[in-house]
Amino acid sequence: MPHRFKGERTLMRIFIGESDKYHGKPLYEALLEKLRAKGLAGATVLRGVAGFGASSMMHTDKVLRLSLDLPLIIEIVETEETIQSILPDLDEMIGGGLVTLERARVILYRPANARSSQQELHRIEGLEPE
């Protein structure tokens, strides 16, 4: 599905734990599968080295026991409408965590294997005035 990203979009960040599960599989994997199935432009999972959340329990890679539950952040940039449409799915899938939304201005979005002629098209998306 081709995506036309131009100008203002919404950045969603989902903060969860590495040990969180959904129907027996890692929650981050289940979320990525759901986001991809819904046709979102992309998502990235980032692994933190330390953090704490609502429980105030410290999770760090310095303590072997807690290194099995490091913080994860899933970032998605999409249209506001698309983000709003997936919020019910997230509510059903995420037990404990945090979801934030903020505005983002997209200035580049293209696949790594774009031909030179395609790169020019993608390079200017979001850069020209409205």
Side-chain angles (χ1 to χ4, degrees):
M1 163 188 265
H3 289 271
R4 294 291 301 169
F5 270 34
K6 188 175 185 178
E8 291 281 324
R9 291 292 178 257
T10 299
L11 166 62
M12 177 167 54
R13 288 191 179 110
I14 303 169
F15 298 80
I16 58 173
E18 192 172 32
S19 66
D20 293 345
K21 303 276 188 227
Y22 180 72
H23 294 173
K25 78 172 10 177
L27 177 58
Y28 76 92
E29 286 181 12
L31 288 168
L32 286 180
E33 288 172 7
K34 175 68 76 175
L35 298 169
R36 190 164 187 239
K38 294 262 185 174
L40 275 71
T44 300
V45 178
L46 306 168
R47 186 176 191 223
V49 297
F52 70 92
S55 68
S56 293
M57 179 180 287
M58 184 66 77
H59 299 267
T60 175
D61 63 356
K62 293 181 181 180
V63 179
L64 182 59
R65 182 179 64 83
L66 295 176
S67 69
L68 302 175
D69 190 23
L70 292 173
L72 296 178
I73 302 169
I74 303 170
E75 293 193 339
I76 301 113
V77 176
E78 258 298 351
T79 63
E80 177 70 21
E81 297 78 26
T82 300
I83 294 291
Q84 290 298 322
S85 75
I86 62 169
L87 291 179
D89 294 313
L90 300 182
D91 187 43
E92 188 261 321
M93 295 175 75
I94 299 172
L98 172 69
V99 178
T100 63
L101 301 176
E102 60 187 85
R103 287 190 307 216
R105 182 166 181 245
V106 174
I107 61 169
L108 177 79
Y109 178 71
R110 68 174 168 223
N113 59 353
R115 295 185 310 271
S116 295
S117 60
Q118 292 174 316
Q119 284 186 0
E120 182 61 25
L121 170 66
H122 289 289
R123 185 185 66 78
I124 61 172
E125 284 187 20
L127 294 178
E128 65 272 5
E130 294 294 321

